[in-house]
Amino acid sequence: MLELFHHGSSVCAAKVRFALEEKQLPWQGHYLDILAGEQFTPEYLKINPRAMVPTLRHGGRIVIESTVICEYLEQVFPQNPVYPADPWTCAQARIWTKAVDEDLHPACSAITYVVSHRHAVLKNVGKFEDFLNAPSNESVETRKRKWQWIEHGLAAPGIEDRIKLYDRYLHLMNSALQNSRWLAGSEFSIADIALTPYVNRLDMLSMSAMWSEGRLPKVEEWFARIRARPTFSKSLLDWIPAPLTRDLAENGRKSWSEIAKMLQIA
Ligand SMILES: N[C@@H](CCC(=O)N[C@@H](CS)C(=O)NCC(=O)O)C(=O)O
């Protein structure tokens, strides 16, 4: 039995759900509301001391880290492969998953916070001391930086760089897709699975103008192909609570003109 501890708003969990569905592996979910702090219960900390989702439990054994979980699934269940068989093509796919883990994920946290989550934190937590003292898996330094995101939104230090980094990755995707239908060659692969939650997050934040209307046509076509897959909705959209979907869309819409200015999108 494959069990996944996950949450609707988590891009990393969405990546693993997408891989599970593409590999047609049956799984059982344990839904943790990470926005309500359910990742900090003593029971969950025993299986994932980092207090993060996703976590996979397979036959009583634990695997953490979304990319590592996908690699594990591929090795244990080689049917319906999502990693390219050709070693060089597989290396290209892994460059994408590495970029997601190292660059895009931190950029995604930042944009999601400054555009949307900050409003909920300001309403529910209110002040820095309470934010700092709330259960967290982050260092004091990281908490302080996050509080700047919460307090100052798009004007917080370093935010513009992170948004530009996100945009750079969309451009890199557009270049890669000039020569092939999918990110790592002619076959759909883990590279597409890994990038999808991050493009979808921008879409949910009402920011598809970052690639649409001719700006990055290959990304637009790619995302349309991704959305047409029968696995897309049930992995990416159906798990997201309706109020969160609404907050992301509305808050994103309000921030768009400022982001468009940063990216010089007319
Ligand atoms: N590198 C980890 C990152 C996991 C991660 O950042 N998870 C977020 C959701 S996408 C989380 O659980 N956050 C909970 C929190 O910040 O308290 C992975 O790829 O699994």
Side-chain angles (χ1 to χ4, degrees):
M1 159 72 73
L2 289 167
E3 296 168 79
L4 186 69
F5 296 80
H6 69 125
H7 180 242
S9 85
S10 161
V11 275
C12 301
K15 183 204 299 177
V16 175
R17 288 195 302 263
F18 200 13
L20 283 163
E21 298 297 342
E22 284 288 337
K23 291 184 70 57
Q24 297 174 34
L25 294 170
W27 57 283
Q28 187 195 323
H30 300 283
Y31 194 82
L32 294 185
D33 187 349
I34 58 171
L35 301 177
E38 289 180 4
Q39 69 277 37
F40 299 111
T41 62
E43 303 78 59
Y44 188 65
L45 286 172
K46 264 187 227 151
I47 65 164
N48 188 332
R50 293 187 184 174
M52 286 189 167
V53 293
T55 299
L56 181 78
R57 186 159 61 195
H58 180 215
R61 296 166 112 185
I62 298 295
V63 186
I64 61 168
E65 286 294 322
S66 57
T67 299
V68 178
I69 294 172
C70 293
E71 291 170 356
Y72 174 83
L73 291 172
E74 185 79 356
Q75 285 196 308
V76 179
F77 304 100
Q79 64 272 28
N80 303 317
V82 292
Y83 282 77
D86 170 66
W88 185 84
T89 312
C90 190
Q92 306 318 301
R94 285 206 162 104
I95 294 292
W96 283 109
T97 64
K98 189 168 155 60
V100 165
D101 289 343
E102 291 176 0
D103 289 342
L104 216 44
H105 185 63
C108 182
S109 301
I111 194 168
T112 306
Y113 255 88
V114 299
V115 167
S116 193
H117 287 357
R118 68 184 284 254
H119 300 294
V121 179
L122 283 171
K123 194 163 89 197
N124 300 331
V125 182
K127 56 182 201 296
F128 175 60
E129 290 69 30
D130 294 340
F131 181 72
L132 192 61
N133 293 325
S136 171
N137 44 35
E138 296 161 336
S139 66
V140 172
E141 272 322 297
T142 305
R143 292 250 103 185
K144 283 184 180 160
R145 192 176 57 236
K146 207 176 240 183
W147 187 255
Q148 292 187 321
W149 300 351
I150 292 164
E151 217 179 2
H152 304 293
L154 284 166
I159 287 300
E160 187 162 341
D161 286 348
R162 287 178 188 236
I163 290 171
K164 286 182 172 163
L165 178 72
Y166 218 133
D167 189 48
R168 250 195 331 273
Y169 271 102
L170 293 175
H171 280 81
L172 284 174
M173 290 174 71
N174 203 57
S175 301
L177 293 163
Q178 297 291 340
N179 306 318
S180 61
R181 186 170 168 80
W182 300 106
L183 285 171
S186 55
E187 305 291 334
F188 175 86
S189 78
I190 189 67
D192 306 287
I193 290 174
L195 268 298
T196 293
Y198 296 87
V199 176
N200 188 53
R201 169 57 52 86
L202 293 175
D203 193 43
M204 295 197 73
L205 285 168
S206 317
M207 295 184 185
S208 59
M210 282 171 77
W211 59 84
S212 63
E213 288 161 43
R215 187 168 186 256
L216 298 171
K218 293 292 173 188
V219 173
E220 186 168 16
E221 289 162 22
W222 172 87
F223 195 46
R225 283 198 292 279
I226 290 280
R227 277 200 293 210
R229 295 181 86 80
T231 49
F232 174 77
S233 276
K234 68 181 188 196
S235 320
L236 274 296
L237 302 182
D238 296 359
W239 288 100
I240 307 182
L244 183 61
T245 302
R246 199 189 45 232
D247 284 354
L248 291 170
E250 283 176 8
N251 291 327
R253 224 171 275 128
K254 285 181 205 151
S255 299
W256 173 244
S257 62
E258 229 174 308
I259 291 184
K261 211 184 301 158
M262 283 177 192
L263 299 175
Q264 297 177 343
I265 299 175

